[in-house]
Amino acid sequence: MAENKRIRLKKQDIEIPLDQFIVGIKNGDRATLAKAITLIESNHPDHFHAGQQLLKEIIPFTGKSVRIGITGVPGAGKSTFIDRFGTELCRLGKKVAVLAIDPSSTMTGGSILGDKTRMESLSREDNAFIRPSPSSGTLGGVHRKTRESILLCEAAGFDVILVETVGVGQSEVVVRTMVDMFLMLTITGAGDDLQGMKKGIMELVDGIIVTKADGANKDFARKTKNEYNQILHYLVPATDGWETKAYTCSSLTGEGIVELWHVVNEFVNKAKRTGVFLERRKKQTSDWLLTSIAEKLQQSFFQHEQIKSILPTMKRDVEIGNIPVSSAVEQLMNIYLTNNCHKE
Ligand code: GDP
């Protein structure tokens, strides 16, 4: 068991022992889970160490969920879809956690059901947990702590984790490195999107969902789905052994929603059978290690006192051609490494 350190989270003015955090999470207590996410998101040094301790304790209880990324431009119908899809899953007896975008971009801290307005029906479900994250200052709602939040949700017993991101290009690349299956929501008449820049995203996803397939829009949605399928046919699928296809659904009528859950199951079963599922997760974790090291090194380099003082001059020198970039790098690295070694 972890040392029973008391953790004070200023924002919510709470003080609870680490043991209580661990027990609460293992019991699936949503209030504790919300506080735990706040803890790991905190930049306070004390919180960092407590957060790491907490993660270490819960790691054995993680990994059992299906992690699904959901992207789409604003207005594509993400929140309405997650609300409906998540609610259906709860009715099927699943525990659903949503790491959602908070469009108001204000931290809702430890609220259990913070996104009541965007996902009203899901927020009423006992088996749902919705955690909004501000979209500003992050990559479309995804940030460096999203992975750890996923682990905490898994330890709390959530079977399905939905990671929502707003389509801003780079955010899709990052989400892809965190999830098992990645879905893009789109609307009808997306003809222009089928060309050019959307192609990159289409090669990252495992399914394209044409939303709002209801009323007068239904036929149009089907037509868009077929157009996507034609293009997908020529693209490299994001997951080995899985054919990325387009689907239609309506979050309003519910048509096609449960069918999408069957698609998810088919995907997971297939990927598990072929070994792709486990391989992807392993690679995601080791890549995460490498990116984290790179981030730490970068931080330490740019916070180095001597580097900070010499860098502006170096920048000017390379700008006016006094010194080649490679030599400047060499000199700076020498300063950084020498001083760091002396510190040891
Ligand atoms: P987001 O910005 O991607 O989260 O999109 P929203 O979920 O907020 O949806 C944008 C608009 O589309 C809202 O006015 C929704 O009511 C509407 N909408 C979403 N899904 C559907 C659907 O399945 N059918 C219809 N007719 N409208 C929908």
Side-chain angles (χ1 to χ4, degrees):
M1 251 300 160
E3 78 181 272
N4 207 3
K5 190 174 171 185
R6 296 185 84 79
I7 300 157
R8 171 165 269 274
L9 291 176
K10 258 201 203 130
K11 211 172 206 167
Q12 293 138 288
D13 205 33
I14 46 164
E15 196 172 340
I16 42 178
L18 189 54
D19 277 1
Q20 217 167 302
F21 260 115
I22 294 162
V23 171
I25 288 174
K26 284 196 208 158
N27 286 339
D29 177 53
R30 292 180 294 174
T32 310
L33 175 59
K35 284 169 195 158
I37 294 179
T38 302
L39 175 70
I40 61 142
E41 281 178 350
S42 163
N43 289 322
H44 192 287
D46 282 356
H47 293 168
F48 175 78
H49 292 294
Q52 293 311 304
Q53 186 73 45
L54 175 61
L55 285 168
K56 219 165 102 190
E57 295 287 329
I58 57 104
I59 276 283
F61 309 97
T62 63
K64 293 190 193 81
S65 79
V66 184
R67 305 165 184 171
I68 307 173
I70 293 174
T71 190
V73 294
K78 294 180 296 300
S79 50
T80 318
F81 172 77
I82 293 172
D83 192 34
R84 187 79 193 227
F85 187 63
T87 306
E88 291 293 344
L89 295 190
C90 286
R91 298 204 175 133
L92 291 172
K94 301 285 169 199
K95 285 188 76 182
V96 181
V98 184
L99 302 177
I101 299 162
D102 180 356
S104 65
S105 290
T106 51
M107 264 308 218
T108 28
S111 89
I112 308 171
L113 300 167
D115 217 352
K116 276 193 178 116
T117 46
R118 286 182 84 227
M119 294 164 194
E120 218 180 324
S121 150
L122 187 58
S123 66
R124 284 195 299 266
E125 291 289 333
D126 288 339
N127 278 336
F129 172 81
I130 303 170
R131 173 68 180 207
S133 276
S135 55
S136 68
T138 63
L139 269 178
V142 180
H143 52 90
R144 63 196 168 84
K145 298 297 184 179
T146 304
R147 279 173 216 273
E148 289 170 350
S149 302
I150 292 177
L151 296 177
L152 288 169
C153 291
E154 285 181 347
F158 287 90
D159 312 293
V160 183
I161 319 240
L162 303 174
V163 183
E164 181 191 16
T165 176
V166 69
V168 292
Q170 183 61 21
S171 66
E172 277 94 347
V173 179
V174 176
V175 175
R176 178 74 267 187
T177 68
M178 302 180 178
V179 295
D180 306 312
M181 188 179 197
F182 194 21
L183 301 171
M184 179 177 92
L185 265 55
T186 186
I187 44 171
T188 50
D192 296 342
D193 290 351
L194 301 188
Q195 314 299 329
M197 63 172 260
K198 279 280 170 213
K199 184 172 164 274
I201 292 164
M202 285 164 75
E203 282 184 330
L204 282 181
V205 297
D206 301 302
I208 292 175
I209 303 170
V210 185
T211 57
K212 311 186 193 183
D214 44 52
N217 202 37
K218 208 168 166 177
D219 286 343
F220 205 20
R222 265 201 217 108
K223 192 168 159 274
T224 308
K225 175 187 90 167
N226 293 338
E227 284 169 8
Y228 270 110
N229 275 332
Q230 277 167 16
I231 304 234
L232 283 166
H233 190 68
Y234 295 101
L235 300 183
V236 182
T239 304
D240 272 352
W242 175 256
E243 192 190 344
T244 305
K245 285 197 269 193
Y247 308 86
T248 55
C249 81
S250 166
S251 310
L252 217 61
T253 65
E255 207 175 322
I257 296 281
V258 174
E259 286 77 357
L260 282 168
W261 176 239
H262 297 324
V263 173
V264 171
N265 278 323
E266 199 190 327
F267 174 90
V268 172
N269 290 338
K270 199 162 187 180
K272 282 190 172 166
R273 254 197 329 271
T274 55
V276 169
F277 190 91
L278 195 61
E279 271 317 302
R280 172 175 271 155
R281 282 216 175 163
K282 281 203 239 170
K283 180 144 187 350
Q284 286 177 339
T285 314
S286 59
D287 284 351
W288 181 17
L289 169 73
L290 299 185
T291 348
S292 307
I293 293 171
E295 274 173 13
K296 276 257 176 226
L297 280 176
Q298 198 177 356
Q299 218 177 29
S300 140
F301 180 86
F302 287 110
Q303 279 170 3
H304 192 282
E305 285 308 324
Q306 244 185 303
I307 297 290
K308 274 202 294 198
S309 70
I310 204 173
L311 198 56
T313 320
M314 281 285 190
K315 274 165 87 175
R316 267 195 308 276
D317 281 345
V318 296
E319 276 168 12
I320 56 171
N322 265 357
I323 175 175
V325 168
S326 49
S327 306
V329 173
E330 190 82 1
Q331 279 185 42
L332 289 165
M333 283 311 289
N334 278 341
I335 291 167
Y336 174 71
L337 291 172
T338 312
N339 287 345
N340 268 351
C341 289
H342 285 165
K343 255 192 235 160
E344 293 301 310

